[in-house]
Amino acid sequence: MDLLTEKFAKLGVDSAPGQEKLQGETILDLRGCRLPGTPVDFSHGDVDAFEPIPGSKEAFDAGYLEGGRQAYTEYRGSASIRGDMAEKLSAFTGAKIDPAKNVILTPGTQGALFLAMGAMVARGDRVAIVEPDYFANRKLAEFFECTIVPVQMRYFEAEHESGLDLRELEEAFRSGVKLFLFSNPNNPTGAVYSDREIRQIAALARTYGVSLIVDELYSRQLFDGRGYTHLCALEEGPEEMVTIIGPSKTESLSGYRLGAAFGSEAVIARMEKLQAIVSLRAAGYCQAVLKVWFAEPEGFMERRILEHQAIRDALVETFRAVPGVRVRPADAGSYLFVQLPPLDVSIGEFVKIVRRLADVTVTPGTEFGPGFTDSFRINFSQDKTAALAAVDRLLTVMERYRRS
């Protein structure tokens, strides 16, 4: 296999969220009858289940009516919108953000992640990633031909923290890691890093000269009064750091593909140069929608969080009622990472079987780390009734394959 073929083989998107149709027809060990019910795709949020921020379409229309002035912004995004975002994000995080130097608007947070990695690593660099963590982190590190240094998150062993093994993280940094990339809240578990953990990460990064990319996509949707520490606001943080955030499932704006990254001036400048040859800019008209972000009507976010928390609680109760099934309630975001009892099929086969027999789509745990062969992730930003019925069907199918 030549190097290019090998490189893209590692990216494997067939099992990634929303990509199930690429798998094609396979011969499966189907047991029992098909279970009827409303199809539910837990691989991503249902944007029809929750209304977008009021005024978002009007903001988009206004951007469209601006014509060329909005369509062809600077590569890093409209100066006026970056000014608005810098003010809002500074207030939200406590960091000092200069709109001219420290902010770039991107085609979704996925775009920001690619640009940040491309601006901060080179071939052969050692990159620390958490296991489990967002499925693209490992794939991006492999695409940029980096050496991956995994750090374990023992999320079942920590109630008020993420469970990140900080000793293992320091060993990774000591081994010559150039960059540490992680999501907070963690995707897929929904665990939030404690203030102690965040401050320790910041101190270790500064001590060992490690750069940081912190994905804070779901940091607005915190449950149970959970506290949150923004690493970007800490004085003890490293010199080179980028924070990524954007309106997505929390605000039901994921269809606009909007993201924002802010951080070190030199890194943001490199990200802009890379964006100039990848996508030129975040879609010009869509950038205008950012004006409604962090400017929601009174009570909008509070209601949205309570609605998601109610779905989380009902699903956790359902899973925990089944012997051998384990799940940690998400501290934030809209994900649950469910551990199954021993089955006599692989996790890859199981998710295909559930889709075939129950019209339920979930993401296999192996997308978030090679060791998670007994787990799957669901996005519970769904219609509550349909989600609960879908999980009941999934668990019924699971019992047919439980190892005796």
Side-chain angles (χ1 to χ4, degrees), residues 30 33-43 350-362 382 386-387 389-391 393-394 397 400:
L30 299 178
C33 63
R34 191 172 179 276
L35 303 175
T38 302
V40 173
D41 188 345
F42 284 117
S43 70
F350 178 71
V351 299
K352 294 176 183 177
I353 288 168
V354 168
R355 192 165 66 250
R356 189 83 63 87
L357 290 179
D359 269 334
V360 178
T361 301
V362 298
Q382 311 283 340
V391 166
R393 298 198 303 275
L394 180 150
V397 172
R400 300 175 186 176

Side-chain angles (χ1 to χ4, degrees), residues 297-355:
E298 184 177 356
F300 176 89
M301 283 300 300
E302 290 79 6
R303 289 192 300 272
R304 181 59 49 90
I305 291 169
L306 287 175
E307 289 169 339
H308 279 81
Q309 185 169 315
I311 300 170
R312 178 205 66 172
D313 292 345
L315 291 175
V316 167
E317 182 179 1
T318 299
F319 283 123
R320 285 184 166 178
V322 179
V325 176
R326 300 180 72 193
V327 63
R328 169 179 167 163
D331 298 324
S334 57
Y335 295 111
L336 292 175
F337 201 46
V338 183
Q339 186 181 74
L340 296 172
L343 305 179
D344 54 15
V345 293
S346 70
I347 191 64
E349 292 172 310
F350 178 71
V351 299
K352 294 176 183 177
I353 288 168
V354 168
R355 192 165 66 250

Side-chain angles (χ1 to χ4, degrees), residues 132-188:
D133 210 337
Y134 183 50
F135 71 91
N137 293 358
R138 174 179 294 273
K139 295 179 181 184
L140 283 170
E142 289 176 337
F143 178 78
F144 287 110
E145 300 180 12
C146 299
T147 298
I148 294 173
V149 182
V151 180
Q152 300 305 307
M153 173 186 280
R154 296 177 175 84
Y155 50 96
F156 280 127
E157 300 173 16
E159 184 175 354
H160 300 295
E161 297 193 306
S162 72
L164 182 72
D165 191 324
L166 290 166
R167 291 184 181 180
E168 196 172 320
L169 183 68
E170 182 167 13
E171 284 300 315
F173 285 8
R174 189 179 289 121
S175 74
V177 159
K178 169 74 181 300
L179 173 75
F180 178 39
L181 164 63
F182 69 103
S183 60
N184 183 29
N186 174 261
N187 177 355

Side-chain angles (χ1 to χ4, degrees), residues 51-106:
E51 66 167 341
I53 297 172
S56 55
K57 183 180 183 300
E58 290 78 5
F60 174 84
D61 290 343
Y64 171 78
L65 293 174
E66 282 285 316
R69 286 180 296 178
Q70 185 63 50
Y72 299 104
T73 69
E74 299 171 50
Y75 291 149
R76 65 175 62 194
S78 162
S80 64
I81 295 174
R82 280 187 288 116
D84 180 55
M85 289 312 309
E87 182 177 347
K88 292 173 178 176
L89 292 173
S90 294
F92 177 61
T93 65
K96 295 179 180 179
I97 304 170
D98 184 332
K101 300 177 180 178
N102 305 129
V103 184
I104 183 170
L105 309 181
T106 62

